Every structure is written in C-alpha cells, then in structure tokens.
Amino acid sequence: MKADGCVDVAVVGAGFTGLAAAHELLAAGIDIVVLEARARVGGRVESQVNALGERIDTGGQYLCDDMVEVTALARRFGKDFRETPIEGDLVVVPPVPDADPNDLFGMPIRRRMKALDPADPAIAGLTVAEWLARQPEAEAVRAAFRSSMEGLWCLPIDEVPLWYLVSNDRRINNRQWELQHFIGETLHSLADDLAAGLGGRVRLSTPVSRIGRGADGVVLSTPAGDVRAREALVAVPPASAARIGFDPALPPRLAAALDAWRSGAVIKILIRYATPFWRERGLSGMVTWRGMPGLYACDASRDAQSPTLVVFSGGALARAWHAFPPEELRRIVTAHLVEALGPEAAGQLDFTCRDWTGDAWSGGAYSDLIVDMAAVDAEDVIRAGASPVHFASSELSPSFPGYVEGAIAAGRLAARRVLGALGKPPAA
C-alpha cells in the first residue's frame, strides 16, 4: 500500500475470478488488495470436513482436459488428479428399454440448440421450455434434455431465454466429459494456494457494501473501514454485484444489465459408504431420474478406501427441497437412491449436504443466468464497466462460462482491461 493509504486496484471477491485477476495485476507490478466477504477464499468452490474426518469439496469440484487454464494451474501446484469412475451401467429411473445413452442425457436436442444462431429472429422471445416443446423427439428424450439443462444451470428452463442459453452453451466446447477429473486434495485447495501466492494481500471477512466513485478513484466501504484505490474490480457474479451500492449510481444501462441475471438453486450431497456396492452389481453409480428434472448422481470415490456417491439437485427441485429439514431431506434422497441402486444405498457412513440455495455471497448455483428476454447486450455492457469500476465473473467469460475455467479466463481478461485503464502493460 502506498504512503497515502491508497492502493492501485481493489479487487472485490476472492473466488477464482478475483484470485486470477489479482495474480495478473500483481505480476504487472500493480499494488493490490483483495476484499473477500467470506471467512475463506474460493467463492463457489469450498470444502468441508465430513463426520469421518475427510476433507471434501462441497462446492465446485470437477474439471476436464479441455479446461486448459484450471488444469495447468492444478499441475503447477502439484495437485493429484483422480479419474471419475465410469465403468458400469447407467441407471435411469424409470428405465427406458433399449434407449441410446446419449438420448437419456438429451444430447441430440442440445446439439440442435447449440447450432442455432442466438440472433435469429425466429427464436426471439422464446424461452428454452417453449422451444423444447416444439422439438420432434419423444417425451422421454425431451424430459432428459430438461433434466440435463436444469441440473447444469439450476434454473427452470421456463425462466431462461433461448437466445441466452444458446449463446452460453456454444462457449462450452469440451470434448471430454465435464466430470472427467477431480483433485484428490480438493479443488478448494487450489484456491487456497492461489491466495497464499498473493502474500497477505487478501482480507477475509471484509464484505464491500458500497463503492463511491470520484475523479481521484474509488472508496470501498467495509465493516473494517474504508479502502481507497485508483480502480476497483468487482469480481463477483452479476446478481451479487447488483446488490452493492454505488455512489453515484451506476449508469442506467449498466445497472439494468446487472439486474438482468438470476441465481439458480443447487444442493450438493456427498454420501460415504463402506463398500462400492453399485460396482459389485455392474453399475457405474451414475443415475438420472427422468421424472425429476435436475436430479443426478455419480461415483465420486477418490480411492478404493472411500466409496462415495455425489447427488446433485438443481433448479425447481432444489428450491422445493430447500424447505425440508435436514433429516427429511436425507430420508427423501436415500429413498431415491434405494429405488435406483437397491437397499444397500441406505447403509451410509456419512451424509454431507451443502445447500447453496440463496447463498448470501455468490448466489444459489454454479452460475447466474440472464432471465431478461431483452438483455441481449448485458454481457458487453457489464464488461465495459464504468471506469474506475470494472466487473468480471465466470458468467462473462468467452469460454466455459459458469465453470472455474471460465472464472480464471474472465479474471485474467478483466485484469488486462484494468491495466489498460492504469496505462500499464500486462506482464510478459
């Protein structure tokens, strides 16, 4: 910090977007501080210790070889990669005899959707659900597509503009399965490593409630006092950024662009067993429930000694389950697993549930989504910002929006925009 108490850049948020941006700025010789509302770094990536004493990822967890930025970072910090077990049969509830597995994940419809032009007037004004109802596939395949989309994006597709999901999905260009790898030490440990590399410049438990803008920079209001900086980079999801007060108010077009987003709902559950009983029956542990959009399970065992299933509930289903007390939710989830995998699914060593619905600092799901049909320029407007205030988030990434990969890319790109505003070249 300079003698006058003013830093060059204050980064708001220590998720992967803010951490990536901070490293980019620091490498260019910029004086920074990172202000994080939580008592930890990582944003939507977090870990907890379960009842067995094992540290597990209760937030974002997975990556694949096509996600080159996060993969490179994990290798740089010496992380051990674990392959998500996939050997064995997929279970579909209720079953669909002789169905193509791709159909059961809605892939034919998803490929057709990706081929659309987001700017095509023929799809203007349509929600994803309205477009889906016009598709020629059988009801079972359309239901699979709905379940896949609501599980991935955690909002009912009746609320999402088709043009937006097309634009978003076209930027997710992986050839490998999105759940290909996870890190034995937890993905959250990578966020901790990035924060440690910032040399004490991260201030935890320091939420920013207001950002004042003036000719000489910005003043960020926190419970610990004001922080002065030449530039501010707000590295949180759009719906979270919209809750920060700005003085003077942001330009109406920018404020409307931030207000165009909504956080979804997701519940992640990790269940430990004594044995991988599903494998003994020739099953992969992957389960999809056709009649329950957004419900999915798969094998998340990090080794032979820790057989684990992970269950995801997203969208409207997660919103409904959010209302249940913990023991009732456990009973419901266990009943679904017993239906799919047999009575052994009830014999659990640990049941760890992380309900992200309505999370105070990063929204309720993996990603915010645009729900305003008319907000076709929202991403460009937010990226342009209102200097000296800039914005970044995984949602705004040119690749893998909504993923840690996208967060890293978005953070680095935003840092370069801030460097440009400061008249500084990026680091070599």
Side-chain angles (χ1 to χ4, degrees):
M1 183 176 291
K2 295 178 172 58
D4 62 0
C6 180
V7 296
D8 290 325
V9 181
V11 179
V12 180
F16 275 87
T17 301
L19 294 172
H23 273 272
E24 192 85 7
L25 293 166
L26 193 61
I30 301 301
D31 187 25
I32 64 165
V33 64
V34 181
L35 307 174
E36 168 54 46
R38 302 182 196 268
R40 59 164 181 82
V41 300
R44 288 164 168 157
V45 175
E46 70 165 26
S47 62
Q48 296 179 17
V49 177
N50 67 12
L52 304 176
E54 301 162 337
R55 182 160 291 280
I56 55 177
D57 275 308
T58 47
Q61 178 174 355
Y62 293 98
L63 59 155
C64 71
D65 289 340
D66 300 298
M67 300 174 183
V68 294
E69 301 295 347
V70 64
T71 298
L73 271 180
R75 296 195 189 285
R76 170 183 152 197
F77 284 100
K79 303 301 180 185
D80 62 313
F81 287 68
R82 307 295 173 89
E83 297 291 320
T84 301
I86 59 172
E87 294 299 321
D89 294 333
L90 165 72
V91 173
V92 180
V93 183
V96 183
D98 304 319
D100 184 325
N102 284 322
D103 290 348
L104 298 176
F105 285 99
M107 292 308 297
I109 301 177
R110 188 172 180 183
R111 285 192 290 268
R112 188 180 309 134
M113 183 185 74
K114 277 190 174 186
L116 296 172
D117 180 354
D120 186 346
I123 69 170
L126 287 179
T127 66
V128 179
E130 289 167 338
W131 175 80
L132 177 62
R134 302 178 181 183
Q135 303 313 299
E137 279 78 9
E139 187 280 332
V141 179
R142 284 186 280 120
F145 173 83
R146 174 184 280 269
S147 185
S148 174
M149 290 294 97
E150 295 193 1
L152 185 60
W153 297 118
C154 304
L155 274 176
I157 59 173
D158 314 75
E159 302 176 15
V160 182
L162 177 60
W163 67 262
Y164 172 70
L165 201 59
V166 171
S167 171
N168 187 291
D169 217 32
R170 288 173 75 171
R171 288 176 272 167
I172 300 170
N173 54 5
N174 52 297
R175 295 175 181 270
Q176 298 290 340
W177 185 36
E178 289 151 311
L179 277 59
Q180 181 186 11
H181 305 299
F182 57 96
I183 292 172
E185 192 185 347
T186 73
L187 183 58
H188 187 225
S189 70
L190 183 58
D192 285 334
D193 291 338
L194 286 171
L198 294 174
R201 293 174 177 85
V202 180
R203 300 184 191 176
L204 300 177
S205 302
T206 309
V208 173
S209 59
R210 194 167 196 83
I211 300 177
R213 297 180 292 137
D216 56 350
V218 294
V219 178
L220 300 93
S221 300
T222 82
D226 290 346
V227 175
R228 296 173 54 217
R230 293 174 61 190
E231 307 278 332
L233 174 57
V234 180
V236 300
S240 299
R243 294 196 294 270
I244 298 173
F246 292 91
D247 183 21
L250 294 175
R253 192 163 171 238
L254 175 54
L258 290 171
D259 284 336
W261 304 74
R262 182 177 302 159
S263 295
V266 67
I267 300 172
K268 181 179 182 181
I269 300 161
L270 293 116
I271 307 173
R272 272 278 275 113
Y273 291 95
T275 63
F277 63 88
W278 55 93
R279 295 184 204 162
E280 295 161 8
R281 295 177 49 202
L283 304 177
S284 65
M286 284 189 282
V287 185
T288 182
W289 286 262
R290 290 194 296 118
M292 306 191 74
L295 186 59
Y296 175 75
C298 73
D299 191 330
S301 307
R302 68 176 66 179
D303 52 47
Q305 287 70 48
S306 55
T308 304
L309 290 177
V310 60
V311 179
F312 298 98
S313 168
L317 184 64
R319 289 180 183 174
W321 284 5
H322 176 67
F324 295 135
E327 285 308 310
E328 177 65 7
L329 180 58
R330 182 170 185 169
R331 185 194 66 78
I332 291 170
V333 171
T334 300
H336 284 301
L337 288 173
V338 167
E339 177 189 24
L341 300 173
E344 299 97 329
Q348 302 160 1
L349 299 181
D350 179 70
F351 184 99
T352 299
C353 176
R354 174 57 158 106
D355 186 346
W356 286 83
T357 308
D359 184 82
W361 301 116
S362 58
Y366 318 115
S367 174
D368 292 350
L369 297 184
I370 289 177
V371 294
D372 182 344
M373 193 68 72
V376 293
D377 61 351
E379 292 185 56
D380 289 337
V381 171
I382 296 170
R383 276 190 290 263
S387 188
V389 178
H390 311 264
F391 296 88
S393 68
S394 179
E395 288 86 347
L396 306 177
S397 177
S399 62
F400 290 99
Y403 291 82
V404 171
E405 176 75 7
I408 295 168
R412 289 173 175 167
L413 289 170
R416 291 164 197 169
R417 291 196 296 273
V418 174
L419 289 171
L422 291 169
K424 301 285 187 178

